[in-house]
Short mmCIF file of all heavy atoms in Angstrom, two decimals:
data_model
loop_
_atom_site.label_atom_id
_atom_site.label_comp_id
_atom_site.label_asym_id
_atom_site.label_seq_id
_atom_site.Cartn_x
_atom_site.Cartn_y
_atom_site.Cartn_z
N LEU A 5 0.84 -1.19 -0.02
CA LEU A 5 0.02 -0.03 -0.01
C LEU A 5 0.87 1.29 -0.02
O LEU A 5 1.98 1.26 0.57
CB LEU A 5 -0.92 0.00 1.21
CG LEU A 5 -1.93 -1.13 1.40
CD1 LEU A 5 -2.65 -1.02 2.69
CD2 LEU A 5 -2.85 -1.14 0.22
N PRO A 6 0.42 2.32 -0.61
CA PRO A 6 1.25 3.54 -0.65
C PRO A 6 1.73 4.01 0.70
O PRO A 6 2.91 4.44 0.85
CB PRO A 6 0.32 4.58 -1.33
CG PRO A 6 -0.61 3.77 -2.18
CD PRO A 6 -0.86 2.47 -1.38
N GLU A 7 0.84 3.92 1.72
CA GLU A 7 1.25 4.44 2.98
C GLU A 7 2.25 3.57 3.66
O GLU A 7 3.11 4.02 4.48
CB GLU A 7 0.02 4.55 3.96
CG GLU A 7 -0.77 3.28 4.17
CD GLU A 7 -1.92 3.14 3.15
OE1 GLU A 7 -1.76 3.54 1.99
OE2 GLU A 7 -2.95 2.55 3.55
N ASP A 8 2.31 2.27 3.33
CA ASP A 8 3.34 1.38 3.87
C ASP A 8 4.64 1.50 3.07
O ASP A 8 5.74 1.47 3.70
CB ASP A 8 2.80 -0.09 3.76
CG ASP A 8 1.69 -0.36 4.71
OD1 ASP A 8 1.53 0.38 5.72
OD2 ASP A 8 0.87 -1.21 4.36
N LEU A 9 4.54 1.68 1.82
CA LEU A 9 5.79 1.88 0.96
C LEU A 9 6.47 3.19 1.44
O LEU A 9 7.71 3.24 1.48
CB LEU A 9 5.38 2.02 -0.48
CG LEU A 9 4.95 0.73 -1.13
CD1 LEU A 9 4.28 1.00 -2.50
CD2 LEU A 9 6.08 -0.24 -1.31
N ALA A 10 5.72 4.21 1.81
CA ALA A 10 6.28 5.46 2.16
C ALA A 10 7.18 5.41 3.40
O ALA A 10 8.15 6.21 3.56
CB ALA A 10 5.13 6.55 2.34
N LEU A 11 6.90 4.41 4.26
CA LEU A 11 7.74 4.26 5.43
C LEU A 11 9.20 3.89 5.11
O LEU A 11 10.07 4.06 5.94
CB LEU A 11 7.16 3.12 6.33
CG LEU A 11 5.73 3.43 6.86
CD1 LEU A 11 5.20 2.16 7.62
CD2 LEU A 11 5.76 4.63 7.84
N TYR A 12 9.40 3.42 3.89
CA TYR A 12 10.73 2.88 3.48
C TYR A 12 11.26 3.57 2.28
O TYR A 12 12.06 3.02 1.53
CB TYR A 12 10.67 1.37 3.30
CG TYR A 12 10.05 0.69 4.47
CD1 TYR A 12 8.74 0.15 4.47
CD2 TYR A 12 10.79 0.52 5.70
CE1 TYR A 12 8.19 -0.36 5.63
CE2 TYR A 12 10.26 -0.10 6.80
CZ TYR A 12 8.94 -0.50 6.75
OH TYR A 12 8.38 -1.11 7.85
N ASP A 13 10.88 4.86 2.12
CA ASP A 13 11.39 5.55 0.94
C ASP A 13 12.85 5.81 0.94
O ASP A 13 13.44 6.18 -0.10
CB ASP A 13 10.64 6.96 0.88
CG ASP A 13 9.22 6.82 0.32
OD1 ASP A 13 8.93 5.76 -0.27
OD2 ASP A 13 8.40 7.81 0.47
N ASP A 14 13.53 5.63 2.08
CA ASP A 14 14.98 5.84 2.15
C ASP A 14 15.73 4.64 1.68
O ASP A 14 17.02 4.79 1.45
CB ASP A 14 15.36 6.18 3.62
CG ASP A 14 15.07 4.99 4.54
OD1 ASP A 14 13.99 4.42 4.47
OD2 ASP A 14 15.97 4.67 5.41
N LEU A 15 15.11 3.50 1.52
CA LEU A 15 15.89 2.27 1.23
C LEU A 15 16.58 2.34 -0.17
O LEU A 15 17.73 1.83 -0.25
CB LEU A 15 14.97 1.03 1.40
CG LEU A 15 14.52 0.77 2.84
CD1 LEU A 15 13.82 -0.61 2.89
CD2 LEU A 15 15.65 0.78 3.85
N PRO A 16 15.90 2.75 -1.22
CA PRO A 16 16.61 2.74 -2.53
C PRO A 16 17.95 3.50 -2.51
O PRO A 16 18.90 2.97 -3.04
CB PRO A 16 15.61 3.39 -3.45
CG PRO A 16 14.26 3.09 -2.83
CD PRO A 16 14.45 3.15 -1.35
N ALA A 17 17.95 4.64 -1.83
CA ALA A 17 19.23 5.33 -1.74
C ALA A 17 20.27 4.68 -0.82
O ALA A 17 21.46 4.58 -1.11
CB ALA A 17 18.98 6.81 -1.27
N ARG A 18 19.77 4.10 0.27
CA ARG A 18 20.69 3.46 1.27
C ARG A 18 21.35 2.28 0.64
O ARG A 18 22.55 2.01 0.90
CB ARG A 18 19.83 2.95 2.46
CG ARG A 18 20.72 2.43 3.59
CD ARG A 18 19.95 1.75 4.68
NE ARG A 18 18.96 2.60 5.23
CZ ARG A 18 18.12 2.19 6.29
NH1 ARG A 18 18.23 0.91 6.75
NH2 ARG A 18 17.28 3.02 6.79
N TYR A 19 20.72 1.51 -0.26
CA TYR A 19 21.33 0.34 -0.82
C TYR A 19 21.65 0.54 -2.34
O TYR A 19 21.75 -0.44 -3.04
CB TYR A 19 20.37 -0.86 -0.70
CG TYR A 19 20.13 -1.24 0.77
CD1 TYR A 19 18.94 -0.95 1.38
CD2 TYR A 19 21.17 -1.83 1.55
CE1 TYR A 19 18.71 -1.30 2.69
CE2 TYR A 19 20.98 -2.12 2.82
CZ TYR A 19 19.78 -1.89 3.47
OH TYR A 19 19.55 -2.18 4.78
N ALA A 20 21.89 1.77 -2.70
CA ALA A 20 22.13 2.05 -4.12
C ALA A 20 23.41 1.36 -4.64
O ALA A 20 23.45 1.09 -5.81
CB ALA A 20 22.28 3.58 -4.31
N GLY A 21 24.34 1.12 -3.80
CA GLY A 21 25.56 0.48 -4.29
C GLY A 21 25.61 -1.01 -4.26
O GLY A 21 26.57 -1.61 -4.64
N ARG A 22 24.54 -1.63 -3.86
CA ARG A 22 24.44 -3.08 -3.72
C ARG A 22 24.02 -3.71 -5.06
O ARG A 22 23.41 -3.09 -5.91
CB ARG A 22 23.41 -3.46 -2.62
CG ARG A 22 23.79 -2.90 -1.25
CD ARG A 22 24.95 -3.69 -0.67
NE ARG A 22 24.60 -5.02 -0.30
CZ ARG A 22 24.18 -5.40 0.92
NH1 ARG A 22 24.09 -4.51 1.87
NH2 ARG A 22 23.89 -6.63 1.17
N ASP A 23 24.36 -5.07 -5.16
CA ASP A 23 23.98 -5.80 -6.34
C ASP A 23 22.49 -5.87 -6.50
O ASP A 23 21.75 -5.98 -5.49
CB ASP A 23 24.57 -7.15 -6.31
CG ASP A 23 26.07 -7.13 -6.51
OD1 ASP A 23 26.65 -6.15 -7.03
OD2 ASP A 23 26.75 -8.16 -6.09
N SER A 24 22.02 -5.87 -7.70
CA SER A 24 20.56 -6.08 -7.94
C SER A 24 20.20 -7.59 -7.73
O SER A 24 21.11 -8.42 -7.67
CB SER A 24 20.19 -5.64 -9.33
OG SER A 24 20.90 -6.39 -10.31
N ILE A 25 18.89 -7.83 -7.59
CA ILE A 25 18.46 -9.23 -7.39
C ILE A 25 17.41 -9.62 -8.38
O ILE A 25 16.80 -8.75 -8.96
CB ILE A 25 17.92 -9.43 -5.95
CG1 ILE A 25 16.80 -8.54 -5.66
CG2 ILE A 25 19.06 -9.21 -4.88
CD1 ILE A 25 16.13 -8.76 -4.31
N THR A 26 17.20 -10.90 -8.57
CA THR A 26 16.23 -11.36 -9.51
C THR A 26 14.90 -11.62 -8.77
O THR A 26 14.86 -12.38 -7.80
CB THR A 26 16.69 -12.61 -10.24
OG1 THR A 26 17.87 -12.34 -10.99
CG2 THR A 26 15.62 -13.12 -11.22
N LEU A 27 13.83 -11.01 -9.27
CA LEU A 27 12.45 -11.22 -8.71
C LEU A 27 11.54 -11.44 -9.86
O LEU A 27 11.93 -11.39 -11.04
CB LEU A 27 12.07 -10.00 -7.88
CG LEU A 27 12.94 -9.59 -6.68
CD1 LEU A 27 12.45 -8.27 -6.12
CD2 LEU A 27 12.83 -10.68 -5.62
N THR A 28 10.29 -11.63 -9.58
CA THR A 28 9.27 -11.71 -10.55
C THR A 28 8.65 -10.39 -10.90
O THR A 28 8.33 -9.59 -9.93
CB THR A 28 8.14 -12.68 -10.09
OG1 THR A 28 8.69 -13.96 -9.85
CG2 THR A 28 7.05 -12.83 -11.13
N SER A 29 8.43 -10.08 -12.14
CA SER A 29 7.75 -8.87 -12.51
C SER A 29 6.27 -8.93 -12.31
O SER A 29 5.60 -9.94 -12.68
CB SER A 29 8.00 -8.60 -14.00
OG SER A 29 7.14 -7.55 -14.50
N ASN A 30 5.69 -7.93 -11.61
CA ASN A 30 4.24 -7.94 -11.38
C ASN A 30 3.53 -7.67 -12.68
O ASN A 30 2.31 -7.97 -12.79
CB ASN A 30 3.92 -6.82 -10.39
CG ASN A 30 3.93 -7.27 -8.93
OD1 ASN A 30 3.21 -8.20 -8.54
ND2 ASN A 30 4.81 -6.67 -8.13
#
């Protein structure tokens, strides 16, 4: 949900230098 996602808006920048992972596309 948007309100739950907003709690973690800092994570993309925090882990910007980490390797990407394979997931399923929605």
